[in-house]
Structures are given as C-alpha cells and as structure tokens.
Amino acid sequence: MLVEAPYRLASASLSRPIFSPANSQKLIPLELRLCRDLLAEQSATAIHVDMSLGGIRLTDLTLSELQQMSISSRAKENIRNVLPELRRIASEIERSFDVEVLAVGKDSMPVRIAELTAGANAVLYLARKVSSERKSYLLGLPSHCTVSRSGHGVSLRSLHVTEHDVFGYARDEESVTESVLLSEFNNPLLRGFRVVRITPK
Amino acid sequence: MLVEAPYRLASASLSRPIFSPANSQKLIPLELRLCRDLLAEQSATAIHVDMSLGGIRLTDLTLSELQQMSISSRAKENIRNVLPELRRIASEIERSFDVEVLAVGKDSMPVRIAELTAGANAVLYLARKVSSERKSYLLGLPSHCTVSRSGHGVSLRSLHVTEHDVFGYARDEESVTESVLLSEFNNPLLRGFRVVRITPK
Amino acid sequence: MLVEAPYRLASASLSRPIFSPANSQKLIPLELRLCRDLLAEQSATAIHVDMSLGGIRLTDLTLSELQQMSISSRAKENIRNVLPELRRIASEIERSFDVEVLAVGKDSMPVRIAELTAGANAVLYLARKVSSERKSYLLGLPSHCTVSRSGHGVSLRSLHVTEHDVFGYARDEESVTESVLLSEFNNPLLRGFRVVRITPK
C-alpha cells in the first residue's frame, strides 16, 4: 500500500486473502509483487519490505551480506530460500520505476500501517464468512491494536503510545459488518495481542 | 489463581507471604503447589507457570529439551535445579485433575494478572505492618502498574496500553489501608517500575 | 543535570550544543565533565552515566570486567577507547565530591530526563536558527516523546505509559519559539521516534 506524510494511514492499497502460516518469509515475494502492481498506478519514492534487516537495499543483499547479519540461523535460512526471487523482483522494480526496495521491517511506519490495513481487511473477510455461514469465528489481531467500526468500514487503530492517530481501514462495500457483532479480548497466551470474536447478530 | 475469559482479573486465588530474592526459579515449585491446592476447589483447563519457555508442557520438559533452548546458561542452571520437583508436581496435577501445566511465562495474561494480584496482596501486607509499627516502608511494584484504593481493597492496575482494564485486587478485610498513606513514584534506577511509599496517617 | 525525588524533571542543568554522530560513546567523557562542573554548584548522591552496563561503578569497570559483559563487541570497543578517560574523571569526582559514578544507562530515570531536557534545548537551538535564517529544518526527537510550548519555554513530554508526568524543559529567554511553527509526525523509518518540522512563521 501507499503511505504519504504524515504517515497515519494508507492512501491507496492492493490486497488479497491468503491462508498460510505467518512465521516464514514465503509471503514476502508475493507482497513485493503486489507493490510492483501498485506502482503501475501510483508513484512512490521507496518500498519498505517487512524484513527487519536494518534498511539494506534488497538489490545489495547478497548471500555473504546475509551471512554476516546478527539474526537467527533459522531466519537466515528462510531468507536464503526466497532471496533469488526477491532480488529479481527488486531489480525489476528499480529498473522500471526507479524506486529503491528497502528491508526495513519492524522499524517502518508504512509496514506498521500495512499490517493494520491487512488486519482490517481480514476482519471484513471473516465478517462476510460469519454472516453467510451463521456461525462464530475468532480472529487474532496484529500486535497492540483494537478494532472498531468507523465510517463505512472497519478500522484497526494502533494502541502504541506514539501511534495514537495511526490506523488501518477497510471499506465495507456490502455492509456485512452490520449483520455481525465484534467482541474483543486479550489473547491469554500472547500478551499485547488482542483477539476479536465475530458472531452473527 | 484462577482467571476466566475475558482475562481481566482473578476470580479465585490462594496467596502466602514469602520473603526471598526474586531472581531465581526456586519459588516456582511452591507456586505450582498452590495451583494444585486451588484445583481441589476450582476446575480449570490449563495452568500457566511463570517460566518463559515458549509454552512447553512441563511433563515434556526433559534436560535435553532444556539444553537446546535459547535462554541464558544461568537460567538453564536455575531451572535444572528445580526441574525434577516441577515435573513430579506437574505429573501429579495431570493425573489427578487432567489439566495441562504449561511454561508460558511473560507472554501469559493469567501470569500477568497473578503478578498484579500478588502485588496487591503485598501492598496490603505492608500497610498492616506500617499501621502496627507506625513507621514508613517502600515497596517496589511489578512492571508497568499503578496502585489505588478501590472498593474495599487495593488494586494494582496495569499501565500497558493493551491492558487498560486488567488489574489485581486484594480485599482489605481489616480496613488497614484507611490508616496509611500511599504515595507512588518512578524507581530512579529501573524505568517502567514504580515504587510506593506507605506512611502511617 | 540534577534530578530529585519524585524524578519528574531536572531541577538544575548545564548544556552545550554538540554536532556529532550519536552512535558512539565519544560524548560520554564530555557529559561526565559537565556533571563534574555542575557538582561544583549543586550537591548530589550519585551520578548516572548513559552507559547501559547494569549500574556498575565506573571506577570498578576494568578492561577484564568489560570483557565479560554480555554486550556487542562493537559496544565493547567503543567503551574501551574512552575507558581510561572516563575512569580518570570518575575517580576525580569520587575524590573531590564523594559521589559515586554509576553506568546505569537506559534503566535510569535521570538519564531519561536528561535525554528529554537535551532534546528541549535542541528544539530551542534550532528554532533560533530557523528564525534567523528564515528556512525550515527537521529535528529527530528522542524515543517516545512529544514536543509542546509550555510556560515560557519548550517541553518534551514522555509518552511512555509509566512516565506521563515526566518531561524535559528548556526556557525560551528570547521568545524565539513565538516566531516559528512546530509540526510533529512519526519518523517513517524508525517507529517510536517522532520528528518535528520547524518552520518560520
């Protein structure tokens, strides 16, 4: 998604539902391809990828650079598996659009806003499912955020103290959220992460 | 103590005053025995022990499993010393009550609520002492919380942003808090931790 | 600067503008000399130095002690380069004023207040520059704080949840802040850190 100063919410985005474990790096190439597709419509100055490697340019990230980084050996192996593909897409983006692709990760505000926006889309997706199947589901939210209905959609507002005005938003075109209830509580096994239960009305 | 959804406070508890350094694992067997005693009165689905080992079942925690964990060697040694006793009590609990004993630690909301409840009991204990001895004492509080009188007791409310409605409570049967003053300030040597000075009125 | 209980703001301070990269330990001797100069005017019980070494006395910090600490090898090398000078100033302070010099760093409330006070002075310094040069500048603020005009000066208030009443203040003798605008936003490359843009009115 596209984020502009003062970095509070997305001003344009592409999203797609994916069902996959969240603890590997396999989704990064897919995310980077979505960025490339969005660049065809919207210009930008840099791409922040959700890899916490100190902000290095992906096209500069060689295997020997990776080897020297102080990250876990499991993380290194996960990255090694997708690195050729990532470097290929990053090179294509730099060539076609003259935009740097940076591995900023958890320190990036745009990555945080993307996480919240993706979460808002997930709430909407699940509300649609609850509404048609007439049964309840639980959804784990991203770290330190809370869900609310707002305007004609769903917002995930950040609860971090410096991010009081930062949020992700997904527009509810079909008004599915009007036919469900959202109730939120702390994940008992993972402090700082909240869970929302979506129930048919 | 017992915690039920939505995981905001204890609904039943057993407590006992102990004077001991807080930086070892020696208190864990004692805490686990209190859990076993509480299970005789209250049913539960799982026990969370204050050991941050990724949620492994204590009965599955062998010395070789422990050896492979990415924790400090000092922590490993502390755990090794109490492991046989812990495994024995955990087995007994699983056999008698069919309840899993999990090493969740800092990621657990019930452990957080236990920490706040224990702190509220400590404030009450010390208020009784201040009231009878007519002299002041300082008490270090658990991380990120603040003390207040509430209802007929003492509350330690969490200051973490996702835990605005989470607290520990201790009932003040003898109204000792009415004869003391509580004043709170930041620990100058340990950011995030507050200290309460309890003074006779 | 001098901080007294309940550790909310500085009650006396010395400051000096320095232009230097912030990621080394080269400024620590300079800071310690400012502390020594302040001690000539104000008495104190301990000095907290912005080095996160567990609170060890600088006069006890030998090369072999340093070698055994669990910090990065880069941090060790940076400290090794300034250690003889630091130990010399610390010894002089202990001899002349009978005040311990402790390497507390990020766990210290006085160090946090010093960081906020230094930031408030930096805002004032840059406001003066903006006002005379009639052009805009950006300033990166310390972690988790927000700037505001307050009284006859500038305040940097902490946004940490346990530090709601903690701040750094710099008095605006020449009323330079009246001729500039301050606008604040999140640093897109460094979550938790805010940036202030200072613009001529």
Side-chain angles (χ1 to χ4, degrees):
Chain A
M1 52 215 62
L2 176 69
V3 178
E4 295 164 292
Y7 317 106
R8 294 182 49 233
L9 73 167
S11 45
S13 68
L14 286 180
S15 66
R16 197 191 303 176
I18 304 280
F19 298 87
S20 158
N23 54 358
S24 88
Q25 305 275 356
K26 284 185 194 156
L27 296 178
I28 305 280
L30 179 69
E31 290 172 13
L32 193 51
R33 262 186 241 110
L34 284 173
C35 290
R36 184 197 55 195
D37 296 347
L38 188 56
L39 271 175
E41 302 168 21
Q42 305 276 347
S43 69
T45 53
I47 292 180
H48 291 188
V49 174
D50 189 6
M51 301 171 82
S52 299
L53 302 175
I56 190 173
R57 273 172 70 169
L58 275 193
T59 50
D60 291 344
L61 181 59
T62 58
L63 282 173
S64 67
E65 284 277 347
L66 181 65
Q67 203 46 47
Q68 286 167 41
M69 288 183 167
S70 56
I71 55 173
S72 75
S73 48
R74 172 174 293 183
K76 276 179 192 168
E77 200 192 315
N78 284 334
I79 293 171
R80 213 179 296 123
N81 291 333
V82 293
L83 192 52
E85 194 178 358
L86 281 180
R87 286 171 51 94
R88 204 174 32 76
I89 311 171
S91 298
E92 185 197 327
I93 288 174
E94 297 205 357
R95 241 188 357 260
S96 311
F97 303 102
D98 194 26
V99 169
E100 285 185 330
V101 181
L102 308 174
V104 192
K106 64 184 167 53
D107 278 338
S108 160
M109 279 304 299
V111 165
R112 170 64 168 164
I113 294 166
E115 177 178 72
L116 297 172
T117 308
N121 278 292
V123 171
L124 215 54
Y125 177 88
L126 204 58
R128 201 174 297 123
K129 196 173 165 75
V130 165
S131 180
S132 71
E133 298 183 7
R134 310 298 302 160
K135 61 177 198 180
S136 295
Y137 282 93
L138 288 174
L139 177 70
L141 298 179
S143 137
H144 293 83
C145 72
T146 185
V147 69
S148 61
R149 274 197 204 84
S150 75
H152 296 281
V154 167
S155 289
L156 249 57
R157 282 182 298 117
S158 178
L159 291 170
H160 277 294
V161 283
T162 57
E163 297 176 359
H164 62 276
D165 54 0
V166 170
F167 63 97
Y169 175 79
R171 191 172 166 86
D172 179 11
E173 306 282 0
E174 312 146 52
S175 302
V176 287
T177 54
E178 284 172 24
S179 60
V180 302
L181 292 171
L182 306 174
S183 77
E184 196 183 303
F185 54 94
N186 279 302
N187 186 334
L189 281 156
L190 207 49
R191 283 177 66 201
F193 289 79
R194 295 171 75 85
V195 175
V196 60
R197 184 190 306 277
I198 310 184
T199 319
K201 253 188 200 164
Chain B
M1 52 216 63
L2 177 69
V3 178
E4 294 165 292
Y7 317 106
R8 295 182 49 233
L9 74 167
S11 45
S13 69
L14 286 180
S15 66
R16 198 192 303 177
I18 304 281
F19 298 88
S20 157
N23 55 358
S24 89
Q25 304 274 358
K26 284 186 195 156
L27 296 178
I28 305 280
L30 178 70
E31 291 172 13
L32 194 50
R33 263 188 240 110
L34 284 174
C35 290
R36 185 195 55 193
D37 296 348
L38 188 56
L39 271 175
E41 302 166 23
Q42 305 275 347
S43 68
T45 53
I47 291 179
H48 291 187
V49 173
D50 190 5
M51 302 170 83
S52 299
L53 302 175
I56 191 174
R57 273 172 70 170
L58 274 193
T59 50
D60 292 344
L61 182 58
T62 57
L63 283 173
S64 67
E65 283 280 346
L66 181 65
Q67 203 47 46
Q68 286 167 41
M69 288 180 167
S70 57
I71 55 174
S72 75
S73 47
R74 173 175 293 183
K76 276 180 193 171
E77 200 191 315
N78 284 335
I79 294 171
R80 214 179 295 123
N81 291 333
V82 293
L83 191 53
E85 194 178 359
L86 281 180
R87 285 171 52 94
R88 202 172 36 74
I89 312 173
S91 298
E92 185 198 327
I93 288 173
E94 297 206 358
R95 243 189 353 261
S96 311
F97 301 102
D98 194 26
V99 169
E100 285 185 332
V101 181
L102 309 173
V104 193
K106 65 185 167 48
D107 278 337
S108 161
M109 278 306 298
V111 166
R112 171 63 168 164
I113 294 166
E115 178 179 72
L116 297 172
T117 308
N121 278 291
V123 171
L124 216 53
Y125 177 90
L126 205 57
R128 199 174 298 123
K129 197 173 164 76
V130 165
S131 180
S132 71
E133 297 183 6
R134 309 298 303 161
K135 62 178 196 180
S136 294
Y137 282 93
L138 289 174
L139 177 69
L141 297 179
S143 138
H144 293 83
C145 71
T146 185
V147 67
S148 62
R149 274 196 204 85
S150 74
H152 295 281
V154 167
S155 289
L156 249 58
R157 282 183 298 117
S158 178
L159 291 170
H160 277 294
V161 283
T162 57
E163 298 176 358
H164 62 276
D165 54 1
V166 170
F167 63 97
Y169 175 78
R171 191 173 166 85
D172 180 12
E173 306 282 0
E174 312 147 52
S175 302
V176 287
T177 55
E178 283 172 25
S179 59
V180 301
L181 293 170
L182 306 174
S183 77
E184 196 183 303
F185 54 93
N186 279 301
N187 186 334
L189 281 156
L190 206 48
R191 281 178 68 199
F193 289 78
R194 295 172 75 85
V195 176
V196 60
R197 184 191 306 276
I198 311 183
T199 319
K201 253 188 199 165
Chain C
M1 50 217 62
L2 175 70
V3 178
E4 294 165 293
Y7 317 106
R8 295 181 49 233
L9 74 167
S11 45
S13 69
L14 286 181
S15 66
R16 198 192 303 177
I18 304 280
F19 298 88
S20 159
N23 56 358
S24 88
Q25 304 275 356
K26 283 186 195 156
L27 296 178
I28 305 280
L30 178 69
E31 290 172 13
L32 193 50
R33 262 187 240 108
L34 283 173
C35 290
R36 185 195 54 195
D37 296 348
L38 189 55
L39 271 175
E41 302 167 23
Q42 304 276 348
S43 67
T45 53
I47 291 179
H48 290 189
V49 173
D50 190 5
M51 302 170 83
S52 299
L53 302 176
I56 191 173
R57 274 172 69 170
L58 275 192
T59 49
D60 292 343
L61 182 58
T62 57
L63 282 173
S64 68
E65 283 279 346
L66 181 65
Q67 203 47 45
Q68 287 167 40
M69 288 180 167
S70 57
I71 55 174
S72 74
S73 48
R74 171 174 293 181
K76 277 179 194 170
E77 200 190 315
N78 284 335
I79 294 171
R80 212 179 297 123
N81 291 333
V82 293
L83 191 53
E85 193 176 359
L86 280 180
R87 285 171 52 94
R88 204 173 33 73
I89 312 172
S91 299
E92 184 197 327
I93 289 174
E94 297 206 357
R95 241 188 358 258
S96 311
F97 302 103
D98 194 26
V99 170
E100 285 185 331
V101 180
L102 308 174
V104 192
K106 65 184 165 53
D107 278 338
S108 160
M109 278 305 300
V111 165
R112 170 65 168 163
I113 294 167
E115 178 179 72
L116 298 172
T117 307
N121 278 290
V123 171
L124 215 54
Y125 176 89
L126 205 58
R128 200 174 297 123
K129 195 172 164 77
V130 165
S131 180
S132 72
E133 297 183 8
R134 309 298 301 161
K135 63 178 197 178
S136 294
Y137 281 93
L138 288 174
L139 177 69
L141 298 180
S143 139
H144 293 84
C145 71
T146 185
V147 68
S148 61
R149 273 196 204 86
S150 74
H152 296 281
V154 168
S155 289
L156 249 58
R157 281 182 299 117
S158 178
L159 291 170
H160 277 294
V161 282
T162 56
E163 298 176 357
H164 62 275
D165 54 359
V166 170
F167 63 96
Y169 176 78
R171 192 174 166 86
D172 179 12
E173 305 283 0
E174 312 146 52
S175 302
V176 285
T177 55
E178 284 172 24
S179 60
V180 301
L181 292 170
L182 306 175
S183 77
E184 196 183 301
F185 54 93
N186 279 302
N187 186 334
L189 280 156
L190 207 48
R191 282 178 67 200
F193 289 79
R194 295 172 76 85
V195 175
V196 60
R197 184 190 306 277
I198 310 182
T199 319
K201 254 188 199 165

